[in-house]
Amino acid sequence: MEREIGVVMDPIGSIAIAKDSTFAMMLAADRRQWRIQYMEQSDLFMRDDRPWARMREVRVRDDATHWYRFCGERTRPLDTLPVILMRKDPPFDMEYIYTTYLLERAQSRGSRVINDPRSLRDANEKVFTVQFPQCCPPTLVTRRTADLAEFLARHTEIILKPLDGMGGLSIFRVKTADPNFNVIVETLTDHGKRFCIAQRFIPEIAQGDKRILLLDGEPVPYALARLPKPGETRGNLAAGGTGVGQPLSERDRWIAAQVGPELRRRGILFAGIDVIGDYLTEINITSPTCIRELDTRFDLDIAGDLLTRLEESPKVAQGGSDPPTL
């Protein structure tokens, strides 16, 4: 039976395939002989009440010199795809939100969108954690310098970061009496015009910022602990961190059990939670990474497991049909 999947992503020619989770999903689909329809945000549009897209069928292979090949192009209704992966990286800007409106319309007409477009809008990766206070370090979301100063005085050492950042961008570690405190706050909040988030500093960052992947609310049994490079606080791989694979601890599994049911309720099939020491620090649902690193270290097939769950969707199980085109 022929199956088909759509992928909305960043330009495929610019990705680093050795660590790109979207590419891992595409490889898994190709191995199962699913037809893959590639799209960028600019390919999507709405005509009256129906979303459409320019789609390019693509074949992929795990070859660092030539990893994709386009096999044809059609413009057709977005909802003729049984499954659509929304894998566009942040920034989470208004264009991203507008894209979720089109995807939500496709979902209302029968497509399964991963992750659910409404949840992509509602579950900010930093603020979503406050729904699980039993898992988190002390946290403050504010625009006000006075609030942050009081939080710093209480905890003596904190982390400050923007609500829309990724890859370790603009993360600051601040101690009491730091002479740069005011300018850091002014930069993050644009002089009180934007919210930022503060968390008590967790010294266990020295043992790594653990990325734990969840499929339909269930954790993959191994995490990628991202160790900061010498002299750094950030463990993010994009900031020079080193990834070390390790089994989940009992505390990791407990945190995943707290978060998993809510992810499932919100239609978030694939997520990555970040855990430092005993604390949940972020819940990533836009385009979580680390599939390829964990697959390589532990001989897993995380993307294949994801597709197995998608095969249970009724529209996927029905197989493809010849869709209308422009």
Side-chain angles (χ1 to χ4, degrees), residues 151-184:
F151 189 79
L152 176 58
R154 185 186 312 166
H155 297 292
T156 71
E157 192 167 5
I158 64 175
I159 292 293
L160 294 170
K161 52 189 175 181
L163 296 183
D164 59 353
M166 64 169 289
L169 181 67
S170 299
I171 295 177
F172 296 92
R173 177 180 173 183
V174 181
K175 299 181 182 181
T176 301
D178 189 320
N180 294 310
F181 172 75
N182 284 332
V183 71
I184 289 170

Side-chain angles (χ1 to χ4, degrees), residues 57 75 105 139 167 176 203 253 263 285 308:
E57 188 167 339
T75 297
R105 189 62 187 156
T139 299
T176 301
R253 291 182 180 276
L263 296 177
I285 69 169
T308 296

Side-chain angles (χ1 to χ4, degrees), residues 210 247-257 278:
K210 289 177 283 188
L248 299 190
S249 68
E250 183 176 341
R251 174 70 176 185
D252 295 337
R253 291 182 180 276
W254 180 82
I255 292 173
D278 288 336

Side-chain angles (χ1 to χ4, degrees), residues 124-127 129 137-142 148 158-174 184-185 187-189 194-200 202 209 226 234 236 274 276 280-284:
N124 175 271
E125 300 184 343
K126 311 295 190 297
V127 180
T129 59
T139 299
L140 173 69
V141 177
T142 185
L148 292 166
I158 64 175
I159 292 293
L160 294 170
K161 52 189 175 181
L163 296 183
D164 59 353
M166 64 169 289
L169 181 67
S170 299
I171 295 177
F172 296 92
R173 177 180 173 183
V174 181
I184 289 170
V185 172
T187 300
L188 282 177
T189 68
R194 294 197 303 259
F195 287 102
C196 71
I197 186 167
Q199 293 174 326
R200 186 183 67 196
I202 306 168
D209 180 355
R226 297 160 296 177
R234 302 170 298 171
N236 309 75
D274 292 344
I276 301 175
L280 173 70
T281 59
E282 291 190 15
I283 303 173
N284 298 274

Side-chain angles (χ1 to χ4, degrees), residues 119-130:
S119 292
L120 289 174
R121 293 195 300 271
D122 290 351
N124 175 271
E125 300 184 343
K126 311 295 190 297
V127 180
F128 189 22
T129 59
V130 303

Side-chain angles (χ1 to χ4, degrees), residues 225-241:
R226 297 160 296 177
L227 306 179
K229 66 182 181 181
E232 258 286 2
T233 298
R234 302 170 298 171
N236 309 75
L237 299 182

